Each structure stands twice: as structure tokens, then as C-alpha cells.
Amino acid sequence: MAVYLRIKRLPYEEPDNTHLFISASNGEFAGTLDIYCSVGDIRKIGEGLRGFPATVGAEFRYENGSEAPEDRYQRYFLFRAFTVNRTGHCALQVIMNRNETGADDAYCRFSLPVEAAALERLGALFRKFGELEHFELDWSPTEGGLR
């Protein structure tokens, strides 16, 4: 299985809000989830990855929804970039939770090592994707593009 992040944008109340269908894998585990978010959130992710990591121990988090049942969110999505050691090696963590129970339960959590340059490329893709001129973002640690 390949390592990837794929995001499809399904226009919804744009230019303010949008609907994203997210698919991701670390090569061993994979998950898919759809979320609604502000278009500004897409740009926020791009800016958060610009020049990452700026310092040892740096972390960038984007969260959409909540896993706490009392918050009553339909979905929870976490996209986290962080450093794994003092030499600046980085990783991405993805958590996807449908916040369902029983037969509809679906939860995915994994991390993958990634170089800082690959995070910079991903940030640039998110910044361009936030301009709403493309409908798909495809990224892997070695390549990426928009369609």
C-alpha cells in the first residue's frame, strides 16, 4: 500500500465553507472521512506547514470536530505535524473518527515519518488548494499536485 494524502473538494457554501473528502495512508493503515470546514481552514493548514519545523519540539495541529461524546460532533479529524527528535526529523499524524457506535463505528489513527521539505511542499499545495481553483489535492512524501 502506498503512502498518500488525497483530498477532494466538494463545493459547499463557498467561498466561506467547503466539504472535503479526505483519504490517507501510511502504507500499512488507511482511512477516509468527509468533513465540512471553512475555506480559511485550508489556508491555515498551508500556513502552519510553511517553514516547518521552525524550532525543536515544533508542532502544528489542525482539528475539526471533537471525539468527546458530550460535544455531539458528527466527525473528528486531526492532522498533526510534529518533530520526533532534536535533529528535526518530522512526522505526520492522522486521526479520523466517525463518532458512531455499533455497526457504524469507524476509527483510524496512524503516523508516518516525513522530511521537512515534504511538509513544505504539502503546505504549498494546501495554500494553493485554498484558492478554490482546484478540486483535488494529491500528496506523497516524494511528490504531489493539484487537479
Side-chain angles (χ1 to χ4, degrees):
M1 189 182 312
V3 175
Y4 62 86
L5 173 66
R6 292 188 186 109
I7 303 175
K8 293 183 180 182
R9 181 175 61 84
L10 307 170
Y12 173 81
E13 295 183 356
E14 290 182 354
D16 299 318
N17 300 299
T18 195
H19 184 191
L20 301 178
F21 184 80
I22 303 163
S23 179
S25 173
N26 70 351
E28 293 182 57
F29 296 91
T32 60
L33 188 72
D34 70 307
I35 63 170
Y36 293 87
C37 68
S38 77
V39 171
D41 287 356
I42 298 170
R43 292 186 209 103
K44 186 185 304 181
I45 295 169
E47 289 302 321
L49 296 178
R50 186 188 301 264
F52 189 90
T55 62
V56 173
E59 176 183 75
F60 169 77
R61 296 173 69 95
Y62 171 74
E63 291 183 272
N64 182 287
S66 171
E67 289 187 291
E70 62 272 14
D71 292 341
R72 302 180 56 127
Y73 276 90
Q74 181 185 20
R75 305 276 193 261
Y76 175 70
F77 176 69
L78 170 71
F79 177 87
R80 176 179 168 239
F82 61 100
T83 55
V84 296
N85 58 31
R86 298 181 58 78
T87 59
H89 291 101
C90 302
L92 283 177
Q93 180 184 44
V94 174
I95 298 176
M96 300 176 180
N97 188 343
R98 285 185 44 193
N99 286 343
E100 298 283 349
T101 59
D104 294 320
D105 180 36
Y107 182 87
C108 176
R109 176 184 179 144
F110 60 83
S111 295
L112 61 117
V114 62
E115 295 183 11
L119 289 175
E120 179 66 37
R121 280 189 301 98
L122 179 57
L125 288 173
F126 268 106
R127 291 189 298 275
K128 188 73 174 162
F129 195 55
E131 295 173 5
L132 306 182
E133 296 174 1
H134 300 88
F135 291 95
E136 293 184 24
L137 181 156
D138 288 306
W139 175 87
S140 76
T142 58
E143 60 187 0
L146 300 171
R147 289 183 277 198

